[in-house]
Amino acid sequence: MYAFLRQLVLCLFWLWLPVSQAADSGWLRAADNDHASVRVRADARQGHDTRLLLDVRLEKGWKTYWRSPGEGGIAPAISWNTPLEMDWRWPVPQRFEVAGITTQGYDGSVSFPITLRGAMPEKLTGVLTLSTCSNVCILTDYPFTLDLSAPADPQFSYDFSRALGTLPLKEGLTSDMSAGFGDEKLRITATRETGWQKPELFIDTLADTDFGKPVYRIDGQTLTATLPVSDGWGDSAPDLRGKTLSLVLADSGQGQESQVTVGDAPSGDAPLTLAWILLMALAGGLILNVMPCVLPVLAMKLGSVVQASSTHRRVVRQQFMASAAGIVTSFLALALMMTALRLSNQALGWGIQFQNPWFIAAMVLVMVGFSASLLGLFEIRLSSGVSTFLATRGGNGLVGHFCQGAFATLLATPCTAPFLGTAVSVALIAPLSLLWGIFLVMGIGMSLPWLLIAAWPGLALRLPRPGRWMNVVRIILGLMMLASGLWLASLLAVHIGRVPTQALGAFIVITLLIATLWRWGWRVALWSALAAMVSLGISLPLIGAGQSGLAKDRIVWQPLSEQAITAALADNKRVFVDVTADWCVTCKANKYNVLLRDEVQNALSEPDVVALRGDWSRPSETISQFLRARQSAAVPFNQIYGPGLEQGRILPPLLDRDDLLQTLNNAKGH
């Protein structure tokens, strides 16, 4: 009881002391603003930083502002009589909307905890500038002086701790957050295990960028906030991709302060949801079947059914199910490889195994071997023991069909089909659970045609009956395999030199054509030559015909680097970035269908355009870092910068001539 009375008397004593004897400005009011009261208090402890507390009281209907006020208002600020290092921390704000204008700030009462660094004078003098608004706005200055030699208010430590409790945390609300920009909208996606109740998002202002009111969409544990973006003058929105945003995400009284780098978002009004990502992965895997890398394998598979058209439905179903299982298993193996590379902080990329010459050489041998077998140079026959083992263990040789599916997957990896590029890029920067899910769905997508035959074997069994025409089909399939093998052989030129590779390719072609003439006669050989011309004519872009002079590139390409982009932008020039690889089929399609077109060549050769090219045919840490900084892990990768696109715009994997020219023109700015 005595201790309680002693503390009570001490508190009354401190309250009785004049304010001037404490490090406290007292409550300040301005003659022209009776809607706000402010107070500044300090605690200058010897040998420690000086703690400051700014208290603001506002009458009902009035508000002041956060560090980023939004579309109007001015944040509170203190001007000191001597330069000081000040750490001003901001409680979680609220959002206000008046006449369509959105602002971020506080109403009622708010306390700002502030820390001053270094040695302090005995008397600290400053001016607080506070903007308060209702239907009108008033900007008020509050001069104050603090006597730091006087003791702090006994209530100070409690009030300072309570103010710290209103600050957003560094973690605890969400550990999974991403941002994407597209169609003049910013989309923030975050996951919270306990779900979302009343989310609020507050973003720090960027130069020449205004953020509108967020629209929230809750899907289970996932929150997507979509904000319109403008430059404040009604012109096109600044490109936010590549920029880092500072933001506060709050829900039900708890807030978290985070920084997030803005990536690319799909066009249209639909946010980049999990369902959309998986749909792109499914479509991308399906399209791989018609790519020139995979089509010969699928054709050979159908050809095997033609040669054994009397096969029962059950056997056909088992064979195609085994191939589909090989495809899905291979995609899961790729996911395992990507997981291991990520955990070991190694470079990630779709098709990076084609940077290894030993892998390419092995694929060349396999493809040429298949081609030679189909052209009749030799027959692949297994011993009776091996055949019996495969038949008893694999169900009529199902192990071989499983391997065919796995082989098709390996050949698919240099192809970045439409939709697949976005799905792969998301997978390689997403949580590991999502990475595995995306690769699984890609495998299912690629195996859909194989599963279709497995579900309805009659589709395969309705092919024409065996006859002499099968010899021509077999030769065509062999030549398709040969074209793919020659393309793979051309990739070795990157590693062992172009002349030895060209000599090897010529030797392979001549040898196989002679073998065809010897095995099938001159009539079949004539048809083979015609088919070879068609096959090789279609595959010219794939075997490096461009390098031999059949398509001339007039663009003066310079080495790709971040410094080159910065220097070009400093000179008010436009920049076109092309990251490619010799093993990338889509890169070749972009080159011959878009980049070598006269109008594109002329546009990229203009004096104010700098063309930068990065070659990822071989491993390159510089290019890997460049792609990772833009949340990409696959080629082709194309981006355009300029005075009107300072942050750059990433183009779709499959280039469109008109879109490229329009974006390049927009990059000029005003």
Side-chain angles (χ1 to χ4, degrees):
M1 184 65 178
Y2 174 79
F4 172 78
L5 291 175
R6 182 180 178 183
Q7 292 179 358
L8 178 62
V9 171
L10 184 61
C11 289
L12 291 175
F13 174 77
W14 281 114
L15 292 174
W16 173 80
L17 286 175
V19 171
S20 60
Q21 295 187 13
D24 191 333
S25 69
W27 286 104
L28 306 176
R29 296 175 71 94
D32 59 347
N33 184 0
D34 58 354
H35 307 290
S37 301
V38 301
R39 180 172 65 165
V40 184
R41 292 179 285 170
D43 178 19
R45 296 173 295 173
Q46 187 68 26
H48 294 81
D49 293 333
T50 299
R51 298 185 300 172
L52 217 66
L53 197 60
L54 169 60
D55 302 315
V56 178
R57 289 180 180 174
L58 302 171
E59 291 189 359
K60 186 177 181 180
W62 289 79
K63 61 182 179 295
T64 190
Y65 296 98
W66 188 47
R67 64 190 181 208
S68 291
E71 295 179 303
I74 299 175
I78 295 178
S79 176
W80 302 102
N81 61 333
T82 57
L84 295 174
E85 182 182 351
M86 180 171 57
D87 181 13
W88 187 315
R89 286 175 284 181
W90 304 83
V92 178
Q94 307 173 53
R95 177 166 282 102
F96 306 97
E97 186 173 5
V98 178
I101 297 177
T102 301
T103 57
Q104 303 171 148
Y106 313 90
D107 61 3
S109 299
V110 61
S111 296
F112 301 92
I114 302 171
T115 302
L116 303 179
R117 313 288 185 190
M120 295 290 117
E122 265 192 18
K123 297 226 179 257
L124 195 60
T125 302
V127 177
L128 167 68
T129 301
L130 186 73
S131 175
T132 55
C133 290
S134 180
N135 296 327
V136 295
C137 291
I138 303 175
L139 192 63
T140 310
D141 287 338
Y142 297 92
F144 64 90
T145 299
L146 298 176
D147 183 5
L148 298 184
S149 63
D153 184 345
Q155 188 75 11
F156 181 90
S157 293
Y158 173 80
D159 292 343
F160 193 88
S161 298
R162 186 175 61 179
L164 292 178
T166 64
L167 302 179
L169 304 174
K170 295 299 182 183
E171 58 183 8
L173 190 71
T174 175
S175 58
D176 183 12
M177 181 182 296
S178 61
F181 177 80
D183 297 333
E184 299 190 344
K185 291 183 177 65
L186 174 68
R187 298 182 178 93
I188 305 292
T189 304
T191 303
R192 190 183 187 193
E193 294 182 358
T194 58
W196 301 91
Q197 303 299 325
K198 297 180 179 179
E200 287 286 348
L201 176 66
F202 309 95
I203 301 181
D204 278 311
T205 303
L206 296 175
D208 302 324
T209 305
D210 283 344
F211 299 101
K213 183 179 180 181
V215 176
Y216 302 100
R217 180 175 178 269
I218 299 175
D219 184 10
Q221 300 177 347
T222 302
L223 168 70
T224 303
T226 304
L227 302 83
V229 181
S230 68
D231 66 348
W233 300 98
D235 292 333
S236 59
D239 194 339
L240 300 180
R241 285 169 291 195
K243 291 188 176 182
T244 299
L245 298 180
S246 176
L247 54 87
V248 171
L249 182 61
D251 187 31
S252 303
Q254 183 181 5
Q256 176 178 318
E257 190 166 15
S258 306
Q259 288 190 334
V260 61
T261 301
V262 182
D264 204 355
S267 59
D269 294 329
L272 191 60
T273 62
L274 177 61
W276 179 250
I277 295 173
L278 295 180
L279 183 61
M280 286 191 293
L282 186 71
L286 177 62
I287 294 175
L288 286 177
N289 287 281
V290 296
M291 289 292 172
C293 338
V294 182
L295 190 58
V297 181
L298 181 58
M300 185 182 69
K301 181 71 175 178
L302 292 174
S304 65
V305 176
V306 171
Q307 296 180 57
S309 60
S310 59
T311 306
H312 297 296
R313 292 174 181 265
R314 177 174 173 272
V315 176
V316 173
R317 179 179 285 116
Q318 289 177 344
Q319 292 175 350
F320 278 84
M321 283 293 292
S323 297
I327 292 173
V328 174
T329 302
S330 297
F331 270 91
L332 294 179
L334 288 174
L336 178 62
M337 181 185 71
M338 296 298 178
T339 301
L341 290 176
R342 177 189 289 187
L343 294 178
S344 59
N345 295 321
Q346 299 297 316
L348 294 176
W350 178 251
I352 59 174
Q353 69 270 26
F354 279 83
Q355 296 176 347
N356 188 320
W358 295 103
F359 175 83
I360 300 175
M363 291 295 100
V364 169
L365 292 177
V366 172
M367 294 297 288
V368 173
F370 274 124
S371 178
S373 176
L374 289 170
L375 293 176
L377 183 60
F378 63 88
E379 297 289 340
I380 300 177
R381 298 182 183 274
L382 300 176
S383 65
S384 59
V386 174
S387 301
T388 303
F389 175 83
L390 292 177
T392 56
R393 298 297 191 274
N396 196 23
L398 296 184
V399 173
H401 296 280
F402 178 92
C403 293
Q404 288 178 2
F407 180 64
T409 304
L410 288 178
L411 289 179
T413 49
C415 303
T416 306
F419 307 112
L420 189 66
T422 302
V424 170
S425 297
V426 171
L428 297 184
I429 61 174
L432 292 180
S433 58
L434 182 56
L435 182 149
W436 281 80
I438 291 176
F439 271 81
L440 174 62
V441 172
M442 285 194 294
I444 295 174
M446 184 176 172
S447 64
L448 281 180
W450 311 72
L451 293 173
L452 183 66
I453 300 296
W456 292 282
L459 295 177
L461 297 179
R462 289 176 183 172
L463 293 172
R465 294 181 177 275
R468 295 186 61 184
W469 64 270
M470 291 179 57
N471 293 335
V472 178
V473 172
R474 181 174 180 178
I475 292 173
I476 292 176
L477 293 177
L479 292 173
M480 292 175 65
M481 283 286 186
L482 175 61
S484 298
L486 291 177
W487 165 66
L488 289 171
S490 71
L491 301 183
L492 288 176
V494 178
H495 302 277
I496 65 175
R498 190 164 303 279
V499 174
T501 304
Q502 291 176 342
L504 175 64
F507 174 76
I508 292 174
V509 171
I510 294 173
T511 301
L512 291 180
L513 287 180
I514 292 175
T516 305
L517 178 62
W518 172 76
R519 175 68 175 82
W520 302 103
W522 68 270
R523 290 184 178 179
V524 176
L526 181 63
W527 283 105
S528 300
L530 180 62
M533 294 174 61
V534 175
S535 177
L536 296 178
I538 294 175
S539 61
L540 277 178
L542 305 183
I543 60 176
Q547 287 83 350
S548 63
L550 297 180
K552 185 174 177 57
D553 191 348
R554 294 180 282 105
I555 303 171
V556 180
W557 294 100
Q558 300 180 22
L560 173 65
S561 68
E562 298 283 4
Q563 293 79 7
I565 296 176
T566 303
L569 291 177
D571 292 338
N572 290 322
K573 292 186 176 181
R574 294 174 288 167
V575 180
F576 180 78
V577 174
D578 180 39
V579 183
T580 183
D582 284 347
W583 44 260
C584 170
V585 177
T586 312
C587 300
K588 301 296 184 183
N590 286 340
K591 179 179 180 180
Y592 290 96
N593 295 332
V594 178
L595 296 181
L596 290 180
R597 299 287 290 269
D598 288 338
E599 52 269 48
V600 176
Q601 290 275 304
N602 294 335
L604 295 180
S605 299
E606 292 184 4
D608 68 324
V609 175
V610 177
L612 303 178
R613 173 165 285 172
D615 188 354
W616 213 30
S617 300
R618 293 182 178 182
S620 170
E621 182 59 27
T622 300
I623 296 179
S624 298
Q625 291 179 358
F626 182 89
L627 293 174
R628 283 198 300 268
R630 288 150 180 82
Q631 299 187 359
S632 181
V635 289
F637 178 89
N638 295 98
Q639 191 174 20
I640 294 178
Y641 291 84
L645 287 174
E646 293 186 357
Q647 298 303 318
R649 186 204 164 196
I650 299 175
L651 301 179
L654 197 61
L655 291 179
D656 177 78
R657 180 195 59 180
D658 295 335
D659 179 54
L660 187 155
L661 293 175
Q662 183 62 45
T663 304
L664 194 64
N665 184 63
N666 294 340
K668 291 182 179 180
H670 300 293

